[in-house]
Amino acid sequence: MQRYQDGDAAAFEPLYRRHRDAVYRYLLRGVQQPALAGELFQDVWTGVVRARGDWQPRARFATWLYRIAHNRLIDHWRSTTQGKEALPDEDDDDGRPPPPELWAPAHERPDQRLLQQERAGRLQQALAALPLVQREAFLLHEEGGLTLDEIAELSQVGRETIKSRLRYALAKLREALADV
């Protein structure tokens, strides 16, 4: 990132390649609509380009990148609640399984692919059933590879709060997927 900030445009490509998939998955799981996730994804990377001069090497690039993604997701959630200050919670889920295009692809025999699709769908449902703050902490940790301290800083809450959110999220996911 330092090279990109200093004007080396070619340095952007490895950053993008390294983080694009995880950032897209984070956004997709946050909005559960591929087209909308794509728009937010573009906004995040546009934000990276625009704010490259603000980046400071105090923290990992991933922390800074996920702060941009997190803020864009929060802005989206706030705009969809017609200006309400509160973010949506688990009651906003309509209980329907995610569409097939959100399932993780499997590259195995057809019977195994079907099993993988069923499991992926169940995981998506279990993730969607989590309260928003737990889902976000889980995804930032698992998809983004952020540490507890980085998630706490990004979310502007204490480290212990993040630990609790992750613990509750994992417990709920284990319970929902206990038979798998």
Side-chain angles (χ1 to χ4, degrees), residues 16-47:
Y16 179 76
R17 262 195 330 269
R18 183 177 308 137
H19 297 283
R20 69 179 173 207
D21 293 340
V23 169
Y24 179 76
R25 284 190 306 267
Y26 168 71
L27 295 167
L28 180 62
R29 289 187 177 112
V31 296
Q32 298 183 352
Q33 297 173 25
L36 180 56
E39 289 177 31
L40 297 177
F41 179 81
Q42 291 298 323
D43 291 348
V44 167
W45 287 102
T46 300

Side-chain angles (χ1 to χ4, degrees), residues 93-122:
D93 182 55
D94 62 4
R96 292 182 301 173
E101 61 267 17
L102 296 185
W103 297 346
H107 304 288
E108 299 177 9
R109 297 185 328 253
D111 61 326
Q112 291 300 310
R113 187 170 44 232
L114 179 60
L115 182 60
Q116 287 292 94
Q117 288 177 337
E118 289 172 3
R119 287 180 177 167
R122 294 233 355 249

Side-chain angles (χ1 to χ4, degrees), residues 90-151:
E90 69 273 15
D91 296 332
D92 291 339
D93 182 55
D94 62 4
R96 292 182 301 173
E101 61 267 17
L102 296 185
W103 297 346
H107 304 288
E108 299 177 9
R109 297 185 328 253
D111 61 326
Q112 291 300 310
R113 187 170 44 232
L114 179 60
L115 182 60
Q116 287 292 94
Q117 288 177 337
E118 289 172 3
R119 287 180 177 167
R122 294 233 355 249
L123 175 60
Q124 288 291 339
Q125 285 178 322
L127 283 169
L130 292 175
L132 180 62
V133 293
Q134 291 175 15
R135 180 173 59 230
E136 180 180 38
F138 178 81
L139 292 174
L140 287 170
H141 188 263
E142 294 302 315
E143 293 285 355
L146 273 62
T147 66
L148 296 177
D149 291 328
E150 290 169 333
I151 298 169

Side-chain angles (χ1 to χ4, degrees), residues 56-75:
Q56 297 293 318
R58 296 185 301 250
R60 292 186 320 145
F61 170 75
T63 305
W64 183 74
L65 173 63
Y66 278 93
R67 175 171 296 285
I68 293 171
H70 165 80
N71 288 343
R72 185 60 190 98
L73 206 48
I74 295 294
D75 290 346

